[in-house]
Amino acid sequence: MSEDDFDVPRSKEQAEKKAEELREEIRYHDRKYYIENNPEISDHEYDMLVKELEAIEEKFPDLITEDSPTQRVISAEIDEFETVEHMSAMLSLDNTFNHDELREFDRRVREGLGKESEDIEYVVEPKIDGLGVALYYDDKVFQRGSTRGDGERGEDITPNLKTVHTIPLKLTDETVLKTAEFRGEVYMPRDEFDEMNERRLDEEKDPFANPRNAAAGTVRNKDPTVVAERPLDIFVYTLSYNEEGEFKTHWECLQEMKKAGLKVNKNIVKKEGIEDVIEHIEDWEDEKEELNYEIDGIVVKVNRLDYHDILGATSKHPRWAIAYKYPAMRKTSTIKDIEVQVGRTGKLTPIAILEPVQLSGTVVERASLHNEDELERKNVNVGDKVLVEKAGEIIPQIVKVTEKKSEGIFQLPEKCPVCGSDAKRIGDEVARRCINAKCPAQVKQKIEHWTTRGAMDIEGLGPKVIEKLVEHGLVKSIPDLYRLEKSEIVKIERMAEKSAQNLLDEIEESKDQGLARVLYGFGIRYVGSHMSNVLAENYESIEQLMDESHESLLKIDEIGPETAESLVQFFSDQQNRKMIEDLKELGVNMESERETAEQFLEGKRFVFTGALDDYTRSEASELVEKHGGRVTSSVSGVTDYLVKGENPGSKLDDAKEEGTKIIDEEEFKRMIEEKETP
Ligand code: IVH
């Protein structure tokens, strides 16, 4: 879109006025959307406002202001983060682990204030498990954001923090605050973390271990465009410096911060006396599992600010606040065995088989040890006692060895445990891979991937059937699927004539899925479902794509050097070229599907909660988006449907409260199949 599509004012004065009006309007809607979860306008209307502002700024570049909503992402890489000194030390909190220690804290507070016989008013807040940051505003404009660092000095990560939509680039008109510093916690919401990891797995990138690690790795990334793509969020919890306004209590500060347009946690409460605080903490023990962010405890703060001054701080912690830590979701177990799995690309993954332990409601019996580097770093072998951690819906992790009971480190075999071929580490890759592309383990998984919903969607070809087909030697490659004959299939146990015919019909139908799905189905490294769609939008057929050079691939907006290299490698492999040729001869359509899906969900907003049986979150989201709908992470007044899976979270309550239409997986499926909304 360019200025021609809008009436960009001719005179600079008018343009300046219009730009400022648009910025105000965008800021208002940003707040409604990102902070209050209660948008007033459609995404399209919002996009139009931004585009109009962009058109003005394009015509009059010197009208661009640093707080303009168009300035969130800069594309220059950061060489090195500069060190900045904090306005006042960023202290940490002292920890307590039980109720008596909290009572002891309360006693010290009352004693320090000479108020032995009075109840103290406390503010009780979730302790967000992320990264502490400081945000500095001058004359309402966001100037600088930094990490905690050593408490005295941190790193200037302003460009990265500007990409976080819940950090306002300008404070609202309603607040008295102008020049001020705030402290808060940057974190990654659970659901978006899960989705991001699913995407990473899909693209054969290593998943992050937990939301905290992901947030930590992101905040200090040197490329703000990468940061902008990661789902970072923030809760602000302290007003640490202000030149305007006078506040008597921490609670008042929190209210003012909300007014200023900052994101303050909704679950902050005031309590009289420590016993009420303890009761609240107990009530919260279960509730915290339902939150869309991880907390590692509760923070208890004296409300009155004059009391903060009286109580003061030690060199490390304030005396007016304390953290209560919930019992950790970590337990020790013993490694009974280590299995070696062979993946779709031949990657050997060591999996620890554990003495079963109960961790946050589930029994954990297996944990990935990732690769050889990880085995070495953890110095781990069969028989060792280990600390196991599980947070939220995340894959269990082995934190460390707590008691070394074995000799040495587990060694990955140099031969593939499935086919006996050499297993090698090539170049500087951390993974050891079986080099035999015909290895049954690889073939099975390649075929499994080919048949998944996002690819050819052949429902009748589940893992069990594939296993049999491969074991009986009927299928050695993807094209073999299209050469199957009924007489061969019925030979496989328990496959009756009718089921065999159904299967063949389904396979036949799958030939018409088109280029994007074929590309996804190949399981090319870094080419997940999103990238396959990008490729199919840019190429009409596989022939066009197959002979593209690295350089021409890089010209496509979303393709980076790793993806380009991976594609070139895939298409230069003679076996892959043969496979493509065979598939073409067998009638598999590898042209891009130009007609778009019916947009029957245009403008409809969906929220998912709980696990779905038949779809991953990204598959379900893709279906919604493909038909013109939108998926958001939390329920608000404009949500049209909440899709409820197994073990739904608190979003279900939100939906009931909002009167949102709640549908289950069956209804969702029917809606997509029948292209009709209930
Ligand atoms: S108050 C001096 N409030 O926990 C006051 N901190 O060990 C310290 N944190 O460095 C900050 N949620 O990064 C406070 N509601 C909350 C918090 C919180 C998380 C982090 C913060 C701090 C660490 C304390």
Side-chain angles (χ1 to χ4, degrees):
M1 185 126 345
S2 75
E3 58 176 85
D4 304 339
D5 301 297
F6 297 98
D7 293 328
V8 174
R10 278 163 194 278
S11 85
K12 202 163 158 187
E13 286 86 76
Q14 273 175 322
E16 188 166 17
K17 190 159 158 276
K18 183 72 192 162
E20 209 32 54
E21 277 168 21
L22 285 164
R23 286 182 195 124
E24 272 303 314
E25 218 175 328
I26 294 168
R27 267 183 217 120
Y28 173 80
H29 292 299
D30 273 346
R31 240 176 107 189
K32 284 280 162 202
Y33 183 87
Y34 291 107
I35 312 243
E36 294 169 20
N37 268 324
N38 193 16
E40 283 176 1
I41 57 173
S42 73
D43 297 344
H44 179 72
E45 287 167 305
Y46 177 87
D47 290 345
M48 285 304 123
L49 293 176
V50 175
K51 293 228 158 91
E52 189 173 357
L53 176 59
E54 278 170 351
I56 296 176
E57 290 181 346
E58 203 181 317
K59 187 163 174 197
F60 299 104
D62 53 332
L63 288 184
I64 300 177
T65 57
E66 58 182 326
D67 62 357
S68 174
T70 58
Q71 303 301 303
R72 283 208 178 261
V73 188
I74 58 159
S75 53
E77 290 227 3
I78 300 161
D79 261 352
E80 208 169 324
F81 296 111
E82 276 181 38
T83 308
V84 285
E85 200 158 330
H86 297 305
M87 314 265 310
S88 59
M90 279 180 88
L91 300 178
S92 63
L93 294 164
D94 205 2
N95 292 321
T96 54
F97 298 91
N98 58 52
H99 299 169
D100 280 341
E101 285 176 359
L102 277 175
R103 293 191 177 99
E104 181 52 31
F105 161 75
D106 173 61
R107 198 196 52 73
R108 286 197 306 270
V109 166
R110 282 182 292 131
E111 193 180 75
L113 296 170
K115 307 257 176 208
E116 276 85 352
S117 56
E118 277 177 38
D119 270 349
I120 303 293
E121 187 169 58
Y122 291 109
V123 174
V124 188
E125 310 180 355
K127 186 168 187 297
I128 317 296
D129 196 9
L131 281 111
V133 294
L135 309 175
Y136 180 70
Y137 286 77
D138 185 20
D139 203 13
K140 292 194 188 272
V141 179
F142 180 49
Q143 297 292 326
R144 193 176 64 229
S146 52
T147 62
R148 177 170 180 274
D150 64 4
E152 300 289 334
R153 270 168 294 269
E155 284 175 313
D156 184 336
I157 52 165
T158 313
N160 287 349
L161 290 181
K162 276 193 173 173
T163 70
V164 180
H165 281 276
T166 36
I167 297 181
L169 297 182
K170 188 170 182 201
L171 302 179
T172 61
D173 290 337
E174 285 114 82
T175 180
V176 296
L177 297 170
K178 285 188 181 144
T179 297
E181 194 203 57
F182 308 94
R183 306 244 162 112
E185 200 83 354
V186 167
Y187 70 98
M188 210 174 266
R190 273 182 171 159
D191 55 354
E192 294 186 67
F193 166 81
D194 289 340
E195 277 163 33
M196 180 187 75
N197 259 359
E198 244 180 55
R199 273 198 308 275
R200 290 180 72 86
L201 283 170
D202 218 21
E203 291 163 9
E204 293 224 353
K205 292 182 186 156
D206 284 331
F208 287 103
N210 55 51
R212 208 200 104 86
N213 283 8
T218 302
V219 143
R220 298 186 64 255
N221 195 301
K222 298 271 168 72
D223 185 349
T225 58
V226 169
V227 179
E229 282 170 10
R230 305 253 180 96
L232 286 182
D233 208 332
I234 194 168
F235 281 120
V236 178
Y237 46 68
T238 303
L239 173 61
S240 44
Y241 174 82
N242 59 303
E243 290 187 3
E244 296 78 21
E246 260 187 59
F247 307 99
K248 289 200 171 60
T249 61
H250 174 55
W251 186 261
E252 281 174 19
C253 295
L254 291 172
Q255 305 317 312
E256 191 65 28
M257 294 192 314
K258 269 189 227 170
K259 247 196 204 170
L262 293 152
K263 187 167 166 188
V264 176
N265 191 287
K266 276 196 263 178
N267 296 302
I268 300 181
V269 293
K270 265 193 292 192
K271 293 283 161 190
E272 284 288 331
I274 201 72
E275 293 308 321
D276 279 8
V277 170
I278 291 171
E279 196 184 319
H280 174 80
I281 286 177
E282 278 189 339
D283 290 348
W284 255 73
E285 170 110 47
D286 291 334
E287 211 148 328
K288 70 177 199 304
E289 301 297 329
E290 304 280 310
L291 299 170
N292 196 22
Y293 44 86
E294 303 210 325
I295 70 172
D296 58 343
I298 295 280
V299 186
V300 182
K301 299 175 179 172
V302 170
N303 191 21
R304 274 175 61 163
L305 296 178
D306 54 340
Y307 287 179
H308 291 196
D309 295 338
I310 299 173
L311 291 163
T314 69
S315 63
K316 289 198 199 115
H317 321 293
R319 291 200 189 86
W320 45 265
I322 199 141
Y324 170 83
K325 296 271 194 146
Y326 285 113
M329 289 176 290
R330 288 178 166 190
K331 276 194 187 153
T332 52
S333 174
T334 303
I335 299 188
K336 293 197 296 189
D337 195 8
I338 296 179
E339 276 179 18
V340 180
Q341 272 182 1
V342 184
R344 190 172 82 214
T345 52
K347 180 178 172 206
L348 268 49
T349 307
I351 308 282
I353 310 300
L354 302 161
E355 205 65 71
V357 274
Q358 271 275 341
L359 267 180
S360 58
T362 55
V363 180
V364 174
E365 297 180 88
R366 301 163 71 84
S368 169
L369 284 161
H370 306 291
N371 53 46
E372 279 164 305
D373 288 4
E374 191 71 7
L375 288 165
E376 217 157 287
R377 201 160 30 234
K378 299 213 160 118
N379 184 23
V380 47
N381 207 341
V382 177
D384 291 343
K385 271 208 158 158
V386 289
L387 192 60
V388 187
E389 177 180 72
K390 186 172 186 290
E393 290 157 68
I394 303 149
I395 322 143
Q397 299 286 321
I398 290 181
V399 182
K400 60 175 182 185
V401 172
T402 50
E403 228 177 295
K404 185 81 191 153
K405 297 260 192 172
S406 67
E407 296 277 307
I409 298 168
F410 182 81
Q411 298 295 316
L412 276 186
E414 286 175 13
K415 300 275 179 206
C416 168
V418 176
C419 72
S421 310
D422 285 347
K424 288 187 181 160
R425 280 176 81 155
I426 297 160
D428 51 7
E429 269 209 319
V430 284
R432 185 175 286 278
R433 291 178 200 273
C434 161
I435 56 160
N436 172 18
K438 297 217 164 74
C439 168
Q442 289 189 49
V443 172
K444 270 183 222 166
Q445 289 178 72
K446 278 189 185 131
I447 306 236
E448 267 184 55
H449 185 71
W450 179 258
T451 63
T452 51
R453 196 178 283 272
M456 294 299 109
D457 192 12
I458 312 176
E459 214 174 315
L461 268 182
K464 289 208 182 95
V465 182
I466 293 173
E467 169 129 33
K468 285 199 177 133
L469 291 171
V470 175
E471 264 168 22
H472 284 74
L474 292 174
V475 172
K476 295 194 185 71
S477 65
I478 293 173
D480 281 351
L481 285 179
Y482 299 93
R483 298 187 181 107
L484 280 171
E485 294 199 5
K486 191 148 65 174
S487 58
E488 292 174 325
I489 303 180
V490 287
K491 274 192 220 138
I492 302 178
E493 279 174 88
R494 284 202 280 141
M495 201 33 119
E497 181 107 2
K498 182 143 190 297
S499 341
Q501 188 55 51
N502 286 345
L503 181 55
L504 284 177
D505 291 347
E506 235 194 304
I507 294 175
E508 185 61 29
E509 254 175 61
S510 79
K511 288 181 179 173
D512 233 10
Q513 297 284 23
L515 184 61
R517 280 153 167 269
V518 165
L519 288 171
Y520 175 71
F522 286 153
I524 306 165
R525 207 163 181 211
Y526 303 127
V527 182
S529 56
H530 175 69
M531 187 53 72
S532 318
N533 281 317
V534 170
L535 287 166
E537 276 161 24
N538 284 279
Y539 296 92
E540 269 169 27
S541 66
I542 200 138
E543 284 83 10
Q544 268 189 5
L545 173 60
M546 253 161 78
D547 295 316
E548 274 302 66
S549 66
H550 189 98
E551 290 68 35
S552 358
L553 284 165
L554 276 181
K555 287 198 189 113
I556 296 174
D557 226 7
E558 292 187 61
I559 299 187
E562 280 171 329
T563 311
E565 186 52 39
S566 171
L567 283 162
V568 169
Q569 261 191 23
F570 180 86
F571 288 117
S572 58
D573 181 298
Q574 284 315 309
Q575 283 182 17
N576 290 337
R577 292 186 85 93
K578 173 88 174 56
M579 167 176 75
I580 292 166
E581 204 173 297
D582 286 359
L583 285 173
K584 205 164 27 171
E585 261 169 36
L586 289 160
V588 175
N589 170 8
M590 286 177 273
E591 314 263 305
S592 61
E593 182 196 0
R594 286 286 157 137
E595 58 175 313
T596 45
E598 200 183 314
Q599 302 289 295
F600 76 107
L601 295 178
E602 183 81 61
K604 296 274 185 267
R605 288 170 185 260
F606 284 72
V607 173
F608 289 92
T609 180
L612 300 178
D613 276 342
D614 283 355
Y615 313 87
T616 62
R617 274 282 170 86
S618 14
E619 283 168 1
S621 307
E622 208 192 307
L623 282 170
V624 170
E625 281 161 14
K626 185 171 140 191
H627 294 102
R630 255 198 75 124
V631 177
T632 57
S633 56
S634 50
V635 175
S636 73
V638 295
T639 308
D640 294 287
Y641 298 100
L642 177 88
V643 185
K644 173 177 71 123
E646 241 169 272
N647 297 324
S650 58
K651 291 180 206 170
L652 181 58
D653 300 328
D654 297 343
K656 284 181 186 154
E657 213 167 284
E658 292 282 357
T660 309
K661 189 161 177 59
I662 299 167
I663 60 174
D664 60 16
E665 183 168 350
E666 273 313 303
E667 289 172 280
F668 175 69
K669 210 178 204 170
R670 212 172 314 131
M671 183 154 140
I672 297 292
E673 273 163 14
E674 293 169 8
K675 313 241 175 308
E676 239 172 68
T677 51

